[in-house]
């Protein structure tokens, strides 16, 4: 897509946009197959789809190095993939197979991949805030230069642990960024009915650097994330990033009829006018940074990759029964 006549900085920016487009598309197609697994009754339990929020995970993780840390949430597949996880091992984990990242014992809400800096998803609301902050503390004490990112939903704003760790992070100037993904709904309730006051002031009250961004614009997310990551890496302390986004599906895969708590027109408006993938695709085509055939080809290739990864997981063996007590921690 880029040409030799482009300045280096322009070429690098375009390459970044193309890479982020492809990664967002990969996450969406992965989650589409997760929903397929559920509807085919092949997946035990429930999963919380990340479809619609891809720009947040990709925009933030593209600003990180492989050795940097992230912690994730119950809606964490997108974070895992954006940080470098492999789809086949993720599918295997979802199905409880031994080839999964946690040998089938973590499932959808507890995938971890230390090799890519992913310290794990967490089914407890705001349960990973202390983990991310502790990782940042270790980074500062050991002088490794690593940055920690804690992803959480707006529901975590009602948990006291978030304010405890932000207080400590600011006191110790820890290299940690708290990324709040406000998808408007705390399960089945609009966040305005559960969250008082201005969200950003919850961070600025501690003196923490705070910013808000359109979570549907991956370029904007990446721009601010790069600044906050660089700031943290230089020892200037923690930051709080509010990403305004939207989940297209229900709270979980079984939440099918959502009209009793949010209008169908609202869903359609976000899907057609605020979609992070469609809007970036439009920009790439309008600015002639990519062509339709290439982008459509990526879609076909990634769709095939995700289906192949899912088939691998379906065929993979379960762990031996005699290993039921191994690799389990309380």
């Amino acid at each position: 897509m880029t040409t030799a006549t482009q300045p280096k900085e322009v070429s690098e920016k375009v390459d970044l946009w193309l890479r982020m487009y492809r990664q967002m598309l990969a996450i969406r197609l992965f989650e589409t197959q997760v929903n397929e697994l559920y509807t085919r009754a092949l997946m035990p339990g429930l999963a919380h789809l990340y479809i619609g929020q891809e720009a947040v995970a990709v925009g933030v993780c593209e600003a990180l190095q492989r050795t940097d840390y992230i912690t994730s949430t119950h809606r964490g597949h997108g974070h895992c993939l954006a940080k470098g996880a492999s789809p086949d091992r993720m599918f295997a984990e979802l199905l409880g197979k031994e080839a999964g990242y946690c040998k089938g014992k973590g499932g959808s809400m507890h995938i971890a991949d230390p090799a890519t800096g992913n310290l794990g998803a967490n089914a407890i609301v705001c349960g990973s805030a202390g983990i991310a902050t502790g990782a940042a503390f270790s980074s500062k004490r050991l002088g490794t230069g690593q940055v920690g990112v804690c992803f959480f939903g707006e529901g975590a704003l009602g948990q006291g642990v978030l304010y405890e760790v932000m207080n400590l992070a600011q006191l110790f100037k820890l290299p940690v960024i708290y990324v709040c993904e406000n998808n408007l709904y705390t399960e089945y309730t609009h966040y305005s009915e559960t969250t008082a006051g201005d969200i950003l002031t919850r961070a600025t009250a501690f003196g923490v650097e705070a910013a808000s961004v359109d979570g549907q614009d991956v370029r904007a997310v990446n721009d601010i994330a790069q600044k906050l990551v660089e700031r943290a890496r230089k020892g200037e302390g923690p930051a709080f990033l509010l990403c305004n986004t939207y989940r297209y599906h229900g709270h979980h895969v079984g939440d099918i009829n959502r009209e009793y708590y949010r209008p169908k027109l609202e869903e359609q408006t976000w899907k057609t006018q605020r979609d992070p993938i469609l809007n970036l695709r439009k920009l790439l085509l309008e600015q002639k940074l990519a062509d339709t055939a290439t982008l459509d080809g990526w879609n076909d290739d990634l769709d095939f990759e995700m289906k192949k990864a899912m088939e691998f997981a379906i065929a993979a063996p379960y762990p031996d029964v005699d290993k039921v007590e191994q690799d389990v921690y309380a």
Side-chain angles (χ1 to χ4, degrees):
M1 299 316 115
T2 57
T3 68
T5 59
Q6 291 177 319
K8 181 180 178 182
E9 60 272 18
V10 174
S11 176
E12 290 177 347
K13 181 68 74 173
V14 173
D15 288 343
L16 171 64
W17 292 354
L18 292 170
R19 190 166 64 247
M20 292 195 298
Y21 176 87
R22 186 180 176 94
Q23 186 62 60
M24 287 195 296
L25 187 59
I27 293 171
R28 178 154 309 177
L29 292 172
F30 177 91
E31 294 289 66
T32 300
Q33 293 303 315
V34 172
N35 198 43
E36 175 75 8
L37 284 172
Y38 175 76
T39 56
R40 291 170 59 189
L42 295 175
M43 184 181 70
L46 298 171
H48 303 75
L49 301 180
Y50 197 68
I51 294 175
Q53 301 181 210
E54 297 91 348
V56 178
V58 173
V60 171
C61 288
E62 278 290 337
L64 300 174
Q65 298 175 4
R66 183 180 176 86
T67 53
D68 288 329
Y69 299 117
I70 69 165
T71 59
S72 186
T73 71
H74 61 280
R75 196 178 310 281
H77 303 161
H79 309 137
C80 297
L81 288 166
K83 196 59 171 69
S86 175
D88 54 357
R89 293 190 64 190
M90 285 187 63
F91 277 125
E93 187 60 39
L94 293 179
L95 297 183
K97 302 300 184 69
E98 189 170 20
Y101 275 107
C102 301
K103 300 181 181 179
K105 298 172 184 176
S108 172
M109 292 185 280
H110 296 95
I111 296 175
D113 180 23
T116 60
N118 180 2
L119 300 181
N122 203 308
I124 299 173
V125 175
C126 206
S128 65
I131 298 171
T133 307
F137 181 81
S138 72
S139 173
K140 180 163 186 175
R141 286 297 298 266
L142 298 173
T144 59
Q146 293 159 289
V147 172
V149 169
C150 177
F151 290 101
F152 56 92
E154 79 288 335
L157 296 170
Q159 299 297 317
V161 65
L162 178 63
Y163 307 104
E164 295 177 41
V165 296
M166 281 200 294
N167 179 63
L168 288 174
Q170 179 64 8
L171 286 172
F172 298 149
K173 297 297 181 188
L174 300 182
V176 59
I177 301 168
Y178 302 100
V179 178
C180 178
E181 298 183 84
N182 182 5
N183 62 21
L184 301 187
Y185 292 91
T186 304
E187 292 194 0
Y188 315 109
T189 305
H190 195 277
Y191 84 98
S192 62
E193 298 180 47
T194 63
T195 310
D198 182 88
I199 292 176
L200 289 184
T201 57
R202 296 172 178 236
T204 57
F206 295 105
V208 173
E209 183 79 9
S212 178
V213 68
D214 178 3
Q216 303 304 90
D217 184 346
V218 71
R219 297 176 302 141
V221 174
N222 182 255
D223 284 344
I224 186 64
Q226 287 191 41
K227 293 181 177 68
L228 296 179
V229 168
E230 180 182 4
R231 177 181 177 276
R233 212 181 298 280
K234 289 182 347 187
E236 296 178 15
F240 182 100
L241 179 59
L242 173 62
C243 298
N244 298 300
T245 185
Y246 196 79
R247 56 169 165 84
Y248 292 177
H249 289 257
H251 172 58
H252 53 71
V253 286
D255 178 18
I256 306 299
N257 180 18
R258 298 176 291 280
E259 292 186 56
Y260 72 94
Y261 71 89
R262 72 183 197 186
K264 184 171 285 294
L265 178 60
E266 177 185 283
E267 289 188 10
Q268 288 302 116
T269 300
W270 280 84
K271 290 178 180 179
T272 57
Q273 299 180 23
R274 301 291 311 282
D275 186 80
I277 298 175
L278 292 179
N279 287 345
L280 182 54
R281 177 189 173 98
K282 180 181 179 182
L283 179 143
L284 293 171
L285 293 175
E286 288 179 345
Q287 296 192 11
K288 301 187 185 306
L289 302 175
D291 55 68
T292 301
T294 297
L295 299 183
D296 288 347
W298 285 357
N299 186 92
D300 293 341
D301 291 345
L302 288 168
D303 185 55
F304 176 79
E305 177 186 336
M306 296 307 162
K307 288 177 179 176
K308 186 177 179 180
M310 184 176 67
E311 291 170 0
F312 161 83
I314 292 172
Y318 289 101
D320 292 336
V321 176
D322 61 3
K323 295 181 180 178
V324 68
E325 296 180 350
Q326 297 179 17
D327 307 302
V328 179
Y329 306 90

